[in-house]
Amino acid sequence: MQEIRVTTARRTQLVNITDEVRGALDGAEGRSAVLVYVPHTTAGVTINEHLDPELLTDFEEALGRIVDDGWPWRHDDVDGPNAPSHVRASLIAPQVLVPLADDGGLALGTYQGIFFCEFDGPRERKVYVTALA
């Protein structure tokens, strides 16, 4: 298992981590897939288009509208009320599984990228990358 560190600058932010995941796959030839996992309850990971940065803004704003901060949330913790962050993270999975090509590279589509999804930032976060047999 390899660990990637991601530092976010905003409360809600999508960060393209495709290159970092590729870098963590050294020696993955002969493996079948890679598991990318986020060990946090207020963050996630997804695969989406990587070409247009405006899509990330649309994605962030859409999640803010779907799970509105202004609802009468009950959950509160040391960092303040962050129930919306937990709900957004539950809508986005904590993991993605990506097939690997014969050379050990990511078998992503032409427009696909892997994105870390922050919902309770800014923070430094971990992402675990494991090549599977």
PDB file of all heavy atoms in Angstrom, residues 76-115:
ATOM      1  N   ASP A  76     -22.843  17.917  15.485  1.00  0.00           N
ATOM      2  CA  ASP A  76     -21.847  18.963  15.716  1.00  0.00           C
ATOM      3  C   ASP A  76     -20.645  18.271  16.344  1.00  0.00           C
ATOM      4  O   ASP A  76     -20.794  17.325  17.096  1.00  0.00           O
ATOM      5  CB  ASP A  76     -22.413  20.010  16.680  1.00  0.00           C
ATOM      6  CG  ASP A  76     -21.661  21.315  16.648  1.00  0.00           C
ATOM      7  OD1 ASP A  76     -20.652  21.419  15.935  1.00  0.00           O
ATOM      8  OD2 ASP A  76     -22.076  22.251  17.355  1.00  0.00           O
ATOM      9  N   ASP A  77     -19.460  18.711  15.993  1.00  0.00           N
ATOM     10  CA  ASP A  77     -18.273  18.151  16.645  1.00  0.00           C
ATOM     11  C   ASP A  77     -17.291  19.264  16.970  1.00  0.00           C
ATOM     12  O   ASP A  77     -17.608  20.439  16.842  1.00  0.00           O
ATOM     13  CB  ASP A  77     -17.640  17.018  15.821  1.00  0.00           C
ATOM     14  CG  ASP A  77     -17.073  17.479  14.487  1.00  0.00           C
ATOM     15  OD1 ASP A  77     -16.909  18.694  14.289  1.00  0.00           O
ATOM     16  OD2 ASP A  77     -16.781  16.615  13.649  1.00  0.00           O
ATOM     17  N   VAL A  78     -16.097  18.904  17.375  1.00  0.00           N
ATOM     18  CA  VAL A  78     -15.101  19.879  17.827  1.00  0.00           C
ATOM     19  C   VAL A  78     -14.818  20.961  16.786  1.00  0.00           C
ATOM     20  O   VAL A  78     -14.562  22.107  17.133  1.00  0.00           O
ATOM     21  CB  VAL A  78     -13.747  19.198  18.185  1.00  0.00           C
ATOM     22  CG1 VAL A  78     -13.287  19.575  19.558  1.00  0.00           C
ATOM     23  CG2 VAL A  78     -13.801  17.711  18.002  1.00  0.00           C
ATOM     24  N   ASP A  79     -14.858  20.587  15.518  1.00  0.00           N
ATOM     25  CA  ASP A  79     -14.578  21.544  14.448  1.00  0.00           C
ATOM     26  C   ASP A  79     -15.792  22.388  14.074  1.00  0.00           C
ATOM     27  O   ASP A  79     -15.708  23.239  13.210  1.00  0.00           O
ATOM     28  CB  ASP A  79     -14.104  20.806  13.186  1.00  0.00           C
ATOM     29  CG  ASP A  79     -12.819  20.043  13.429  1.00  0.00           C
ATOM     30  OD1 ASP A  79     -12.001  20.529  14.227  1.00  0.00           O
ATOM     31  OD2 ASP A  79     -12.640  18.977  12.832  1.00  0.00           O
ATOM     32  N   GLY A  80     -16.930  22.117  14.698  1.00  0.00           N
ATOM     33  CA  GLY A  80     -18.150  22.833  14.355  1.00  0.00           C
ATOM     34  C   GLY A  80     -19.109  21.919  13.626  1.00  0.00           C
ATOM     35  O   GLY A  80     -18.836  20.734  13.421  1.00  0.00           O
ATOM     36  N   PRO A  81     -20.259  22.464  13.246  1.00  0.00           N
ATOM     37  CA  PRO A  81     -21.255  21.625  12.563  1.00  0.00           C
ATOM     38  C   PRO A  81     -20.750  21.187  11.188  1.00  0.00           C
ATOM     39  O   PRO A  81     -20.443  22.017  10.349  1.00  0.00           O
ATOM     40  CB  PRO A  81     -22.466  22.536  12.444  1.00  0.00           C
ATOM     41  CG  PRO A  81     -21.987  23.915  12.719  1.00  0.00           C
ATOM     42  CD  PRO A  81     -20.677  23.827  13.413  1.00  0.00           C
ATOM     43  N   ASN A  82     -20.635  19.888  10.997  1.00  0.00           N
ATOM     44  CA  ASN A  82     -20.158  19.401   9.707  1.00  0.00           C
ATOM     45  C   ASN A  82     -20.988  18.235   9.184  1.00  0.00           C
ATOM     46  O   ASN A  82     -20.513  17.441   8.381  1.00  0.00           O
ATOM     47  CB  ASN A  82     -18.672  19.056   9.749  1.00  0.00           C
ATOM     48  CG  ASN A  82     -18.368  17.846  10.601  1.00  0.00           C
ATOM     49  OD1 ASN A  82     -19.199  17.355  11.343  1.00  0.00           O
ATOM     50  ND2 ASN A  82     -17.152  17.343  10.488  1.00  0.00           N
ATOM     51  N   ALA A  83     -22.239  18.139   9.624  1.00  0.00           N
ATOM     52  CA  ALA A  83     -23.121  17.084   9.129  1.00  0.00           C
ATOM     53  C   ALA A  83     -23.236  17.102   7.606  1.00  0.00           C
ATOM     54  O   ALA A  83     -23.202  16.042   6.973  1.00  0.00           O
ATOM     55  CB  ALA A  83     -24.493  17.177   9.782  1.00  0.00           C
ATOM     56  N   PRO A  84     -23.344  18.279   6.966  1.00  0.00           N
ATOM     57  CA  PRO A  84     -23.415  18.269   5.501  1.00  0.00           C
ATOM     58  C   PRO A  84     -22.178  17.621   4.861  1.00  0.00           C
ATOM     59  O   PRO A  84     -22.295  16.947   3.837  1.00  0.00           O
ATOM     60  CB  PRO A  84     -23.505  19.746   5.119  1.00  0.00           C
ATOM     61  CG  PRO A  84     -23.945  20.455   6.342  1.00  0.00           C
ATOM     62  CD  PRO A  84     -23.470  19.634   7.495  1.00  0.00           C
ATOM     63  N   SER A  85     -21.031  17.789   5.477  1.00  0.00           N
ATOM     64  CA  SER A  85     -19.804  17.181   4.950  1.00  0.00           C
ATOM     65  C   SER A  85     -19.886  15.661   4.987  1.00  0.00           C
ATOM     66  O   SER A  85     -19.455  14.976   4.059  1.00  0.00           O
ATOM     67  CB  SER A  85     -18.597  17.659   5.760  1.00  0.00           C
ATOM     68  OG  SER A  85     -18.494  19.054   5.714  1.00  0.00           O
ATOM     69  N   HIS A  86     -20.448  15.124   6.060  1.00  0.00           N
ATOM     70  CA  HIS A  86     -20.618  13.676   6.176  1.00  0.00           C
ATOM     71  C   HIS A  86     -21.593  13.153   5.125  1.00  0.00           C
ATOM     72  O   HIS A  86     -21.355  12.110   4.508  1.00  0.00           O
ATOM     73  CB  HIS A  86     -21.108  13.305   7.574  1.00  0.00           C
ATOM     74  CG  HIS A  86     -20.074  13.439   8.634  1.00  0.00           C
ATOM     75  ND1 HIS A  86     -19.069  12.514   8.822  1.00  0.00           N
ATOM     76  CD2 HIS A  86     -19.886  14.398   9.576  1.00  0.00           C
ATOM     77  CE1 HIS A  86     -18.306  12.891   9.844  1.00  0.00           C
ATOM     78  NE2 HIS A  86     -18.769  14.034  10.309  1.00  0.00           N
ATOM     79  N   VAL A  87     -22.692  13.871   4.922  1.00  0.00           N
ATOM     80  CA  VAL A  87     -23.692  13.435   3.952  1.00  0.00           C
ATOM     81  C   VAL A  87     -23.122  13.486   2.537  1.00  0.00           C
ATOM     82  O   VAL A  87     -23.285  12.549   1.745  1.00  0.00           O
ATOM     83  CB  VAL A  87     -24.983  14.269   4.075  1.00  0.00           C
ATOM     84  CG1 VAL A  87     -25.972  13.914   2.974  1.00  0.00           C
ATOM     85  CG2 VAL A  87     -25.618  14.062   5.453  1.00  0.00           C
ATOM     86  N   ARG A  88     -22.419  14.574   2.195  1.00  0.00           N
ATOM     87  CA  ARG A  88     -21.804  14.672   0.862  1.00  0.00           C
ATOM     88  C   ARG A  88     -20.811  13.535   0.634  1.00  0.00           C
ATOM     89  O   ARG A  88     -20.768  12.948  -0.445  1.00  0.00           O
ATOM     90  CB  ARG A  88     -21.112  16.023   0.704  1.00  0.00           C
ATOM     91  CG  ARG A  88     -22.086  17.174   0.616  1.00  0.00           C
ATOM     92  CD  ARG A  88     -21.389  18.529   0.571  1.00  0.00           C
ATOM     93  NE  ARG A  88     -22.376  19.587   0.713  1.00  0.00           N
ATOM     94  CZ  ARG A  88     -22.238  20.649   1.489  1.00  0.00           C
ATOM     95  NH1 ARG A  88     -21.117  20.832   2.186  1.00  0.00           N
ATOM     96  NH2 ARG A  88     -23.192  21.549   1.573  1.00  0.00           N
ATOM     97  N   ALA A  89     -20.021  13.225   1.654  1.00  0.00           N
ATOM     98  CA  ALA A  89     -19.046  12.137   1.529  1.00  0.00           C
ATOM     99  C   ALA A  89     -19.741  10.797   1.326  1.00  0.00           C
ATOM    100  O   ALA A  89     -19.219   9.928   0.623  1.00  0.00           O
ATOM    101  CB  ALA A  89     -18.138  12.096   2.756  1.00  0.00           C
ATOM    102  N   SER A  90     -20.920  10.634   1.927  1.00  0.00           N
ATOM    103  CA  SER A  90     -21.655   9.380   1.753  1.00  0.00           C
ATOM    104  C   SER A  90     -22.252   9.259   0.356  1.00  0.00           C
ATOM    105  O   SER A  90     -22.485   8.150  -0.128  1.00  0.00           O
ATOM    106  CB  SER A  90     -22.765   9.260   2.798  1.00  0.00           C
ATOM    107  OG  SER A  90     -22.183   9.051   4.069  1.00  0.00           O
ATOM    108  N   LEU A  91     -22.507  10.386  -0.291  1.00  0.00           N
ATOM    109  CA  LEU A  91     -22.994  10.353  -1.671  1.00  0.00           C
ATOM    110  C   LEU A  91     -21.878   9.999  -2.652  1.00  0.00           C
ATOM    111  O   LEU A  91     -22.128   9.472  -3.728  1.00  0.00           O
ATOM    112  CB  LEU A  91     -23.606  11.703  -2.055  1.00  0.00           C
ATOM    113  CG  LEU A  91     -24.878  12.088  -1.305  1.00  0.00           C
ATOM    114  CD1 LEU A  91     -25.295  13.502  -1.675  1.00  0.00           C
ATOM    115  CD2 LEU A  91     -25.990  11.097  -1.592  1.00  0.00           C
ATOM    116  N   ILE A  92     -20.656  10.337  -2.286  1.00  0.00           N
ATOM    117  CA  ILE A  92     -19.470  10.004  -3.072  1.00  0.00           C
ATOM    118  C   ILE A  92     -18.775   8.871  -2.321  1.00  0.00           C
ATOM    119  O   ILE A  92     -18.583   8.938  -1.130  1.00  0.00           O
ATOM    120  CB  ILE A  92     -18.512  11.222  -3.171  1.00  0.00           C
ATOM    121  CG1 ILE A  92     -19.225  12.439  -3.740  1.00  0.00           C
ATOM    122  CG2 ILE A  92     -17.269  10.856  -3.965  1.00  0.00           C
ATOM    123  CD1 ILE A  92     -19.764  12.274  -5.141  1.00  0.00           C
ATOM    124  N   ALA A  93     -18.383   7.839  -3.009  1.00  0.00           N
ATOM    125  CA  ALA A  93     -17.796   6.676  -2.344  1.00  0.00           C
ATOM    126  C   ALA A  93     -16.432   6.990  -1.730  1.00  0.00           C
ATOM    127  O   ALA A  93     -15.735   7.886  -2.195  1.00  0.00           O
ATOM    128  CB  ALA A  93     -17.647   5.534  -3.344  1.00  0.00           C
ATOM    129  N   PRO A  94     -16.019   6.226  -0.706  1.00  0.00           N
ATOM    130  CA  PRO A  94     -14.673   6.398  -0.152  1.00  0.00           C
ATOM    131  C   PRO A  94     -13.616   5.674  -0.980  1.00  0.00           C
ATOM    132  O   PRO A  94     -12.440   5.732  -0.652  1.00  0.00           O
ATOM    133  CB  PRO A  94     -14.787   5.793   1.247  1.00  0.00           C
ATOM    134  CG  PRO A  94     -15.838   4.751   1.109  1.00  0.00           C
ATOM    135  CD  PRO A  94     -16.823   5.299   0.094  1.00  0.00           C
ATOM    136  N   GLN A  95     -14.031   4.962  -2.053  1.00  0.00           N
ATOM    137  CA  GLN A  95     -13.060   4.235  -2.859  1.00  0.00           C
ATOM    138  C   GLN A  95     -13.509   4.144  -4.310  1.00  0.00           C
ATOM    139  O   GLN A  95     -14.687   4.245  -4.611  1.00  0.00           O
ATOM    140  CB  GLN A  95     -12.827   2.830  -2.312  1.00  0.00           C
ATOM    141  CG  GLN A  95     -13.887   1.806  -2.691  1.00  0.00           C
ATOM    142  CD  GLN A  95     -15.165   1.920  -1.905  1.00  0.00           C
ATOM    143  OE1 GLN A  95     -15.115   2.217  -0.715  1.00  0.00           O
ATOM    144  NE2 GLN A  95     -16.305   1.711  -2.527  1.00  0.00           N
ATOM    145  N   VAL A  96     -12.512   3.947  -5.185  1.00  0.00           N
ATOM    146  CA  VAL A  96     -12.758   3.567  -6.575  1.00  0.00           C
ATOM    147  C   VAL A  96     -11.813   2.410  -6.895  1.00  0.00           C
ATOM    148  O   VAL A  96     -10.732   2.297  -6.322  1.00  0.00           O
ATOM    149  CB  VAL A  96     -12.544   4.724  -7.588  1.00  0.00           C
ATOM    150  CG1 VAL A  96     -13.581   5.815  -7.398  1.00  0.00           C
ATOM    151  CG2 VAL A  96     -11.143   5.287  -7.527  1.00  0.00           C
ATOM    152  N   LEU A  97     -12.246   1.568  -7.795  1.00  0.00           N
ATOM    153  CA  LEU A  97     -11.444   0.443  -8.258  1.00  0.00           C
ATOM    154  C   LEU A  97     -11.212   0.652  -9.750  1.00  0.00           C
ATOM    155  O   LEU A  97     -12.166   0.789 -10.512  1.00  0.00           O
ATOM    156  CB  LEU A  97     -12.183  -0.872  -8.013  1.00  0.00           C
ATOM    157  CG  LEU A  97     -11.429  -2.153  -8.314  1.00  0.00           C
ATOM    158  CD1 LEU A  97     -10.232  -2.306  -7.378  1.00  0.00           C
ATOM    159  CD2 LEU A  97     -12.359  -3.352  -8.182  1.00  0.00           C
ATOM    160  N   VAL A  98      -9.941   0.713 -10.151  1.00  0.00           N
ATOM    161  CA  VAL A  98      -9.587   0.983 -11.540  1.00  0.00           C
ATOM    162  C   VAL A  98      -8.812  -0.205 -12.088  1.00  0.00           C
ATOM    163  O   VAL A  98      -7.806  -0.615 -11.497  1.00  0.00           O
ATOM    164  CB  VAL A  98      -8.730   2.270 -11.649  1.00  0.00           C
ATOM    165  CG1 VAL A  98      -8.395   2.567 -13.107  1.00  0.00           C
ATOM    166  CG2 VAL A  98      -9.432   3.458 -11.001  1.00  0.00           C
ATOM    167  N   PRO A  99      -9.241  -0.755 -13.234  1.00  0.00           N
ATOM    168  CA  PRO A  99      -8.468  -1.839 -13.845  1.00  0.00           C
ATOM    169  C   PRO A  99      -7.090  -1.344 -14.266  1.00  0.00           C
ATOM    170  O   PRO A  99      -6.914  -0.158 -14.572  1.00  0.00           O
ATOM    171  CB  PRO A  99      -9.296  -2.229 -15.084  1.00  0.00           C
ATOM    172  CG  PRO A  99     -10.582  -1.522 -14.969  1.00  0.00           C
ATOM    173  CD  PRO A  99     -10.420  -0.399 -14.008  1.00  0.00           C
ATOM    174  N   LEU A 100      -6.133  -2.253 -14.285  1.00  0.00           N
ATOM    175  CA  LEU A 100      -4.794  -1.929 -14.752  1.00  0.00           C
ATOM    176  C   LEU A 100      -4.533  -2.605 -16.093  1.00  0.00           C
ATOM    177  O   LEU A 100      -4.945  -3.749 -16.313  1.00  0.00           O
ATOM    178  CB  LEU A 100      -3.746  -2.390 -13.732  1.00  0.00           C
ATOM    179  CG  LEU A 100      -3.760  -1.655 -12.391  1.00  0.00           C
ATOM    180  CD1 LEU A 100      -2.722  -2.249 -11.449  1.00  0.00           C
ATOM    181  CD2 LEU A 100      -3.517  -0.168 -12.579  1.00  0.00           C
ATOM    182  N   ALA A 101      -3.855  -1.894 -16.970  1.00  0.00           N
ATOM    183  CA  ALA A 101      -3.431  -2.458 -18.250  1.00  0.00           C
ATOM    184  C   ALA A 101      -2.289  -3.436 -18.006  1.00  0.00           C
ATOM    185  O   ALA A 101      -1.731  -3.499 -16.908  1.00  0.00           O
ATOM    186  CB  ALA A 101      -2.998  -1.326 -19.179  1.00  0.00           C
ATOM    187  N   ASP A 102      -1.918  -4.175 -19.037  1.00  0.00           N
ATOM    188  CA  ASP A 102      -0.839  -5.165 -18.913  1.00  0.00           C
ATOM    189  C   ASP A 102       0.478  -4.558 -18.445  1.00  0.00           C
ATOM    190  O   ASP A 102       1.265  -5.214 -17.766  1.00  0.00           O
ATOM    191  CB  ASP A 102      -0.616  -5.878 -20.252  1.00  0.00           C
ATOM    192  CG  ASP A 102      -1.778  -6.796 -20.607  1.00  0.00           C
ATOM    193  OD1 ASP A 102      -2.511  -7.215 -19.688  1.00  0.00           O
ATOM    194  OD2 ASP A 102      -1.953  -7.084 -21.812  1.00  0.00           O
ATOM    195  N   ASP A 103       0.717  -3.295 -18.806  1.00  0.00           N
ATOM    196  CA  ASP A 103       1.970  -2.640 -18.405  1.00  0.00           C
ATOM    197  C   ASP A 103       1.905  -2.045 -16.997  1.00  0.00           C
ATOM    198  O   ASP A 103       2.832  -1.393 -16.545  1.00  0.00           O
ATOM    199  CB  ASP A 103       2.355  -1.558 -19.416  1.00  0.00           C
ATOM    200  CG  ASP A 103       1.356  -0.405 -19.467  1.00  0.00           C
ATOM    201  OD1 ASP A 103       0.328  -0.444 -18.736  1.00  0.00           O
ATOM    202  OD2 ASP A 103       1.605   0.542 -20.234  1.00  0.00           O
ATOM    203  N   GLY A 104       0.769  -2.245 -16.289  1.00  0.00           N
ATOM    204  CA  GLY A 104       0.615  -1.724 -14.936  1.00  0.00           C
ATOM    205  C   GLY A 104       0.060  -0.324 -14.889  1.00  0.00           C
ATOM    206  O   GLY A 104      -0.086   0.253 -13.815  1.00  0.00           O
ATOM    207  N   GLY A 105      -0.282   0.256 -16.037  1.00  0.00           N
ATOM    208  CA  GLY A 105      -0.849   1.609 -16.081  1.00  0.00           C
ATOM    209  C   GLY A 105      -2.350   1.601 -15.854  1.00  0.00           C
ATOM    210  O   GLY A 105      -3.024   0.573 -16.012  1.00  0.00           O
ATOM    211  N   LEU A 106      -2.891   2.753 -15.485  1.00  0.00           N
ATOM    212  CA  LEU A 106      -4.321   2.889 -15.253  1.00  0.00           C
ATOM    213  C   LEU A 106      -5.096   2.720 -16.561  1.00  0.00           C
ATOM    214  O   LEU A 106      -4.764   3.353 -17.559  1.00  0.00           O
ATOM    215  CB  LEU A 106      -4.633   4.274 -14.671  1.00  0.00           C
ATOM    216  CG  LEU A 106      -4.043   4.585 -13.305  1.00  0.00           C
ATOM    217  CD1 LEU A 106      -4.220   6.056 -12.981  1.00  0.00           C
ATOM    218  CD2 LEU A 106      -4.688   3.719 -12.241  1.00  0.00           C
ATOM    219  N   ALA A 107      -6.126   1.899 -16.542  1.00  0.00           N
ATOM    220  CA  ALA A 107      -6.966   1.682 -17.719  1.00  0.00           C
ATOM    221  C   ALA A 107      -8.168   2.629 -17.655  1.00  0.00           C
ATOM    222  O   ALA A 107      -9.316   2.206 -17.612  1.00  0.00           O
ATOM    223  CB  ALA A 107      -7.402   0.224 -17.796  1.00  0.00           C
ATOM    224  N   LEU A 108      -7.869   3.915 -17.633  1.00  0.00           N
ATOM    225  CA  LEU A 108      -8.911   4.942 -17.613  1.00  0.00           C
ATOM    226  C   LEU A 108      -9.298   5.310 -19.037  1.00  0.00           C
ATOM    227  O   LEU A 108      -8.485   5.192 -19.962  1.00  0.00           O
ATOM    228  CB  LEU A 108      -8.407   6.199 -16.894  1.00  0.00           C
ATOM    229  CG  LEU A 108      -8.190   6.089 -15.395  1.00  0.00           C
ATOM    230  CD1 LEU A 108      -7.476   7.332 -14.871  1.00  0.00           C
ATOM    231  CD2 LEU A 108      -9.516   5.881 -14.662  1.00  0.00           C
ATOM    232  N   GLY A 109     -10.514   5.816 -19.207  1.00  0.00           N
ATOM    233  CA  GLY A 109     -10.945   6.319 -20.497  1.00  0.00           C
ATOM    234  C   GLY A 109     -10.214   7.613 -20.823  1.00  0.00           C
ATOM    235  O   GLY A 109      -9.607   8.247 -19.956  1.00  0.00           O
ATOM    236  N   THR A 110     -10.310   8.021 -22.064  1.00  0.00           N
ATOM    237  CA  THR A 110      -9.603   9.204 -22.568  1.00  0.00           C
ATOM    238  C   THR A 110      -9.827  10.437 -21.705  1.00  0.00           C
ATOM    239  O   THR A 110      -8.886  11.190 -21.434  1.00  0.00           O
ATOM    240  CB  THR A 110     -10.061   9.508 -24.010  1.00  0.00           C
ATOM    241  OG1 THR A 110      -9.820   8.354 -24.807  1.00  0.00           O
ATOM    242  CG2 THR A 110      -9.322  10.698 -24.585  1.00  0.00           C
ATOM    243  N   TYR A 111     -11.040  10.661 -21.265  1.00  0.00           N
ATOM    244  CA  TYR A 111     -11.382  11.889 -20.538  1.00  0.00           C
ATOM    245  C   TYR A 111     -11.448  11.686 -19.031  1.00  0.00           C
ATOM    246  O   TYR A 111     -11.781  12.616 -18.303  1.00  0.00           O
ATOM    247  CB  TYR A 111     -12.705  12.453 -21.054  1.00  0.00           C
ATOM    248  CG  TYR A 111     -12.671  12.729 -22.534  1.00  0.00           C
ATOM    249  CD1 TYR A 111     -13.402  11.956 -23.418  1.00  0.00           C
ATOM    250  CD2 TYR A 111     -11.857  13.736 -23.041  1.00  0.00           C
ATOM    251  CE1 TYR A 111     -13.347  12.198 -24.781  1.00  0.00           C
ATOM    252  CE2 TYR A 111     -11.790  13.980 -24.402  1.00  0.00           C
ATOM    253  CZ  TYR A 111     -12.536  13.202 -25.266  1.00  0.00           C
ATOM    254  OH  TYR A 111     -12.469  13.440 -26.609  1.00  0.00           O
ATOM    255  N   GLN A 112     -11.159  10.488 -18.548  1.00  0.00           N
ATOM    256  CA  GLN A 112     -11.323  10.199 -17.130  1.00  0.00           C
ATOM    257  C   GLN A 112     -10.102  10.570 -16.296  1.00  0.00           C
ATOM    258  O   GLN A 112      -8.962  10.398 -16.734  1.00  0.00           O
ATOM    259  CB  GLN A 112     -11.619   8.710 -16.915  1.00  0.00           C
ATOM    260  CG  GLN A 112     -12.994   8.307 -17.373  1.00  0.00           C
ATOM    261  CD  GLN A 112     -13.259   6.847 -17.078  1.00  0.00           C
ATOM    262  OE1 GLN A 112     -12.394   5.984 -17.261  1.00  0.00           O
ATOM    263  NE2 GLN A 112     -14.462   6.560 -16.611  1.00  0.00           N
ATOM    264  N   GLY A 113     -10.382  11.058 -15.095  1.00  0.00           N
ATOM    265  CA  GLY A 113      -9.366  11.321 -14.095  1.00  0.00           C
ATOM    266  C   GLY A 113      -9.888  10.869 -12.743  1.00  0.00           C
ATOM    267  O   GLY A 113     -11.093  10.672 -12.557  1.00  0.00           O
ATOM    268  N   ILE A 114      -8.987  10.710 -11.787  1.00  0.00           N
ATOM    269  CA  ILE A 114      -9.352  10.312 -10.427  1.00  0.00           C
ATOM    270  C   ILE A 114      -9.273  11.565  -9.557  1.00  0.00           C
ATOM    271  O   ILE A 114      -8.251  12.261  -9.545  1.00  0.00           O
ATOM    272  CB  ILE A 114      -8.403   9.223  -9.891  1.00  0.00           C
ATOM    273  CG1 ILE A 114      -8.419   8.012 -10.833  1.00  0.00           C
ATOM    274  CG2 ILE A 114      -8.789   8.820  -8.468  1.00  0.00           C
ATOM    275  CD1 ILE A 114      -7.341   6.984 -10.525  1.00  0.00           C
ATOM    276  N   PHE A 115     -10.357  11.836  -8.815  1.00  0.00           N
ATOM    277  CA  PHE A 115     -10.445  13.066  -8.035  1.00  0.00           C
ATOM    278  C   PHE A 115     -10.682  12.780  -6.558  1.00  0.00           C
ATOM    279  O   PHE A 115     -11.597  12.033  -6.202  1.00  0.00           O
ATOM    280  CB  PHE A 115     -11.598  13.941  -8.550  1.00  0.00           C
ATOM    281  CG  PHE A 115     -11.362  14.452  -9.934  1.00  0.00           C
ATOM    282  CD1 PHE A 115     -11.745  13.706 -11.031  1.00  0.00           C
ATOM    283  CD2 PHE A 115     -10.732  15.667 -10.136  1.00  0.00           C
ATOM    284  CE1 PHE A 115     -11.504  14.158 -12.316  1.00  0.00           C
ATOM    285  CE2 PHE A 115     -10.487  16.131 -11.415  1.00  0.00           C
ATOM    286  CZ  PHE A 115     -10.877  15.373 -12.506  1.00  0.00           C
TER     287      PHE A 115
END
